[in-house]
Each structure stands twice: as C-alpha cells, then as structure tokens.
Amino acid sequence: MRAICPGSFDPVTHGHLDVVVRASRMFDEVLVAVGRNSAKNYLFSPDERAAMLADATSELPNVRVDLLDGLLVDYCREREIDVIVKGLRFAGDFEFELQMAQMNFALSGIETIMLPTAAKWAHLSSTMIREVAKLGGDVTQFVTPAVAERIRDKMATDNQGGRA
Ligand code: PNS
C-alpha cells in the first residue's frame, strides 16, 4: 500500500521524522508531501523544506519527497495513494485532524490514519522552533544537524536583510 505524510514541514522536526519512519515500516511506499498553505507565513520556501526532508529521509529506501499543490485528495487520486498518515501530539491536534480527515473522506473516500507522536517529541512544533530560533535560542535537540545549520543560515541572512 502507498501512504502519504502531508504537512508544511517548516522546518521538519524529529517529531515529523518519527511519524515518517513509523509509516515507512507500515506501508510499501511513503510519499512525504510538502504543502503550501496560503494562510501561512513560511520561513523556508517549498523547495528548501523539501530539500531538508529529502536529506533527513535519505536512509529510508521506500520514502520519497514531493511538493503538494492544490487539493490533497486530488494529489492522492492522481498518484493512487491509499492512505493519509498524520501524527497526533495532543488532543488539540485531534480536533483539527479529525475535521480534515472527514473532509478528505467526504471528497474522495480516502482513509486517514493517525499515529500518536512519540511522547519524547510531543512538545515539538515547527512554529515554536522558528520562534525560539528567531529569538536566538538553541534548537539543535529538536531537528537534524543539517536542518539546524539551515536555520542558522536563514537567521543570519534574515538578520542581515532586516527581517526579524
Ligand atoms: O503541517 P500542516 O501545516 O498542518 O499541513 C497542512 C497540510 C499541508 C497537510 C494541509 O494544509 C493540506 O492538506 N493542504 C492541501 C490542500 C487541501 O487539500 N486542503 C483541504 C484539507 S481538508
């Protein structure tokens, strides 16, 4: 079976990777899809987010990274993807994910399965990592070394360019 792990991944964290690794053990093929949600203000471009994911998942032979444009269910239909996999950190995630799962099912009949995030990473969010990094905090324990370096580079560039 073919599964998809969609998300913003801005940037990918150990929490995301935990879910991707577990999905890769459950399904024949896993597509990690980097979405562009127009309501969000991203730190990294879609290409940068996809590159960080490709690097972080390079050891997983059945995992591929792609960019997601348009509706997730259309993407899944075109690529014959059977299941959407989402990670759940806490009850708040569930409410939103349930609504999305029900909408996606109503639109296309695709199933969503939700994996509880490892407790170790339950406090992580890309939003918080961006905030900590912007304010000069150390985020190295939450992301891969390559992602930490990209964050450092981004902060240095943004500070030079006058972006907070
Ligand atoms: O990491 P995020 O920001 O929670 O990921 C959100 C994402 C990309 C999974 C979601 O915005 C999405 O599925 N976007 C594709 C557009 C779409 O199908 N929207 C309707 C969802 S019910």
Side-chain angles (χ1 to χ4, degrees):
M1 275 176 97
R2 191 175 289 167
I4 189 166
C5 295
S8 297
F9 306 107
D10 187 37
V12 60
T13 69
H14 284 317
H16 295 130
L17 291 173
D18 166 60
V19 171
V20 172
V21 167
R22 284 158 59 206
S24 77
R25 293 185 195 131
M26 295 168 66
F27 296 97
D28 301 311
E29 239 183 278
V30 175
L31 248 139
V32 185
V34 178
R36 315 168 201 227
N37 178 344
S38 51
K40 287 199 173 179
N41 207 353
Y42 295 114
L43 177 63
F44 291 99
S45 72
D47 285 341
E48 287 174 317
R49 287 180 271 139
M52 285 186 273
L53 267 164
D55 175 71
T57 58
S58 61
E59 307 276 288
L60 303 168
N62 62 338
V63 174
R64 277 194 301 121
V65 178
D66 197 10
L67 297 176
L68 168 65
D69 277 312
L71 274 182
L72 177 60
V73 292
D74 290 340
Y75 182 97
C76 292
R77 198 181 290 127
E78 283 158 19
R79 288 160 184 82
E80 298 182 338
I81 289 165
D82 308 287
V83 180
I84 299 168
V85 177
K86 291 293 192 84
L88 288 185
R89 292 164 300 181
F90 38 70
D93 273 352
F94 179 69
E95 287 191 20
F96 185 53
E97 293 298 344
L98 177 65
Q99 205 179 359
M100 276 205 286
Q102 289 167 333
M103 174 58 84
N104 286 329
F105 185 81
L107 288 171
S108 70
I110 194 163
E111 297 288 1
T112 298
I113 67 161
M114 302 189 196
L115 291 183
T117 309
K120 189 177 172 192
W121 306 122
H123 60 293
L124 288 192
S125 78
S126 297
T127 307
M128 267 192 211
I129 287 173
R130 291 195 304 273
E131 166 101 4
V132 170
K134 278 181 185 172
L135 297 173
D138 179 7
V139 297
T140 50
Q141 62 178 305
F142 310 126
V143 296
T144 65
V147 171
E149 200 177 319
R150 288 249 190 182
I151 293 173
R152 268 195 302 274
D153 289 349
K154 180 69 78 177
M155 294 303 137
T157 316
D158 286 356
N159 287 338
Q160 274 166 19
R163 190 171 145 186

